[in-house]
Amino acid sequence: MTQQYPEAQQQLHNNLKIGNTPIGSNHDVYFIGELSVNHKQSLDIALKTMREIKNAGAQAIKLQTYKAESLTLDVDNNDFHIAQNSVWDGKTYYQLFKENAMPWEWHQTLFNAAKDLKLHIFSTPFDKQGVELLQSLNAIAYKIASYEIRHLTLIKQVAETGKPILISTGIANSEDIQRAINICHKAGNYQIILMKCTSAYPATPETLQLNHISQLQQQFHTPVGLSDHSYSTDKQQLVVAPMVATALGAVVIEKHVILDRSMQTADSQFSLDPNELKTTIDAIRNVRKTMAEPKTQNYKENDDYPWNGKEAAQTGGRSVYISQDIPKGGTISTHNTAIVRPGLSLHPKYYHSILGRQTNKPLKRGDRISLDNLV
């Protein structure tokens, strides 16, 4: 179901921004700290978490905007009991959502605080009322949760806002993804980022399948990010998934954030504390630096070098120097020249071509030599 887009539409995919921040492989990875249910029904905790997300270097905080009634029915039968081999098993869907929903009246306060911190803020809505609330707050983007990718009415409503849309793909097949993209395009919205996601909580390494990032890029021609639910107590393993995703071309990383995992929330097992968050963000920034494009694709001899190549060649490389004094009119030979460090003199590739030529001025031991010195 791969779809080719008209060039102008493809440019909209390629030149996407969230707020004034460009999204793409030539820019820093856009990092989103997900508050989710880690507020524990405390506005103070929510605000403190927001500040930690900012301090760690993330560009955005993301909320979830829902009421239990907009997600499920308050029914106590087997269909409505969670049995997903997740940390939430044993509850009904209604109980889980009712216990963890963020009060709607917090939104204005959190949006104001984010503005003061110069931190982007947006949310995942789950119904029309949520979209309307976020529009009234001038949300700069929207996230479609993995389990909502088949909620086509919601996707249409979000697409019609004209704001960037991050679409999580955790439970989706190719048809689901293409259908969601088509709905956005029909609404005139090409500001789409697909988020590779494993809908397991927490997600184990063998379930992540991060190579799917490249497949999504190639199949759907959109920027791709990672919504990561993995976690490890191993500090090195902790950053593996975001680093690998970045190396594979992910332009957005989203991780759940909690002030302290001992708080024991529904998401605490796969959330990062502030120190882990900073470690992760620093790690992916370094990955992006190591993958930076060369300054030029076609290096000119003695002229253009990738990164510090020119400086390294000049300080550590070899070049042709005068090793014995030569009078004006003297002949260049193997006895009065040497190929030595540093590399500030004539490139050694010219060495054999200058042997036997005469100088047009006197040269002393240690002098540089150039083709202009020869006749």
Side-chain angles (χ1 to χ4, degrees), residues 143-282:
K143 171 84 181 291
I144 299 295
S146 173
Y147 289 110
E148 301 297 308
I149 197 167
R150 296 174 182 174
H151 192 171
L152 305 182
T153 301
L154 175 67
I155 293 174
K156 180 175 182 289
Q157 291 166 346
V158 170
E160 288 174 345
T161 67
K163 302 293 181 62
I165 308 171
L166 296 88
I167 302 177
S168 221
T169 62
I171 68 163
N173 60 27
S174 292
E175 290 185 1
D176 292 325
I177 297 170
Q178 190 64 67
R179 191 177 294 112
I181 290 173
N182 290 346
I183 288 172
C184 294
H185 288 179
K186 189 173 181 179
N189 194 327
Y190 291 83
Q191 302 179 86
I192 301 166
I193 302 169
L194 294 178
M195 299 292 286
K196 162 62 185 161
C197 173
T198 298
S199 295
Y201 307 89
T204 56
E206 59 271 17
T207 65
L208 295 180
Q209 299 179 322
L210 295 181
N211 279 331
H212 196 210
I213 289 170
S214 301
Q215 296 172 21
L216 289 170
Q217 291 169 330
Q218 294 167 11
Q219 183 171 357
F220 299 105
H221 310 284
T222 68
V224 176
L226 173 67
S227 181
D228 183 24
H229 304 135
S230 65
Y231 181 73
S232 173
T233 55
D234 183 329
K235 296 299 183 183
Q236 292 182 326
Q237 184 67 32
L238 182 70
V239 299
V240 166
M243 289 179 72
V244 171
T246 301
L248 289 171
V251 296
V252 177
I253 302 290
E254 178 186 46
K255 291 287 290 188
H256 287 63
V257 182
I258 192 168
L259 281 181
D260 187 330
R261 201 169 299 100
S262 67
M263 289 163 49
Q264 291 296 305
T265 72
D267 291 351
S268 57
Q269 283 193 18
F270 50 89
S271 298
L272 302 179
D273 68 29
N275 289 332
E276 294 165 342
L277 177 64
K278 186 176 189 312
T279 296
T280 302
I281 293 174
D282 289 346

Side-chain angles (χ1 to χ4, degrees), residues 342-370:
L344 298 170
S345 188
L346 185 68
H347 197 295
K349 68 183 179 179
Y350 296 109
Y351 186 61
H352 291 289
S353 67
I354 67 172
L355 294 176
R357 293 178 64 178
Q358 292 182 318
T359 62
N360 58 17
K361 70 175 185 178
L363 296 171
K364 294 183 178 181
R365 176 180 167 86
D367 279 353
R368 298 179 189 179
I369 186 171
S370 76

